[in-house]
Amino acid sequence: MTFSPSVIAREREEFGAVPEEYPKVDGFQAVVDSNSLGFDANRGIHRRSIKYFNRDQGVFCRGTSPGFLKCLWGNPQARLVLDFHSDHAVAALEYLKQNVFAE
């Protein structure tokens, strides 16, 4: 439900003014979907809930940045998951593009 078009539109309206501090990857939409969950003093960045998704390929990711994210994809018979730290978001999402989108 949190990936529905209406929820995404509402979150973009509410949190769209958040500075562009979070990684972006071609082929994935990124949506910050929370107020600050705390401040990472070492990085100088607010920790927020974030989603990455590509509806066409059926890849949906959710987690915190900085923090851990989880991506899900596949079909009803076989769901696949990839867990990773947000520091590796670009590499992980690029990996998914090369391996999932090519199928």
Side-chain angles (χ1 to χ4, degrees):
M1 298 297 285
T2 66
F3 289 97
S4 72
S6 62
V7 171
I8 296 297
R10 185 181 69 230
E11 290 167 350
R12 284 210 168 114
E13 185 176 321
E14 186 173 353
F15 302 108
V18 173
E20 302 292 325
E21 313 173 309
Y22 304 95
K24 296 199 177 16
V25 176
D26 286 340
F28 285 91
Q29 293 183 42
V31 178
V32 172
D33 65 350
S34 76
N35 288 311
S36 177
L37 302 172
F39 187 77
D40 186 326
N42 291 333
R43 297 168 189 249
I45 189 171
H46 286 277
R47 184 179 189 141
R48 296 182 190 271
S49 177
I50 190 167
K51 296 183 248 196
Y52 291 95
F53 60 96
N54 180 306
R55 285 189 201 290
D56 296 336
Q57 301 300 324
V59 179
F60 300 92
C61 310
R62 184 168 195 161
T64 58
S65 185
F68 287 91
L69 292 109
K70 178 178 290 209
C71 292
L72 299 160
W73 71 96
N75 57 50
Q77 292 78 27
R79 290 280 178 209
L80 302 166
V81 67
L82 178 65
D83 293 316
F84 55 93
H85 193 276
S86 61
D87 289 350
H88 306 290
V90 172
L93 297 175
E94 289 290 343
Y95 170 84
L96 290 176
K97 277 177 40 180
Q98 292 172 8
N99 293 283
V100 174
F101 293 11
E103 295 176 358

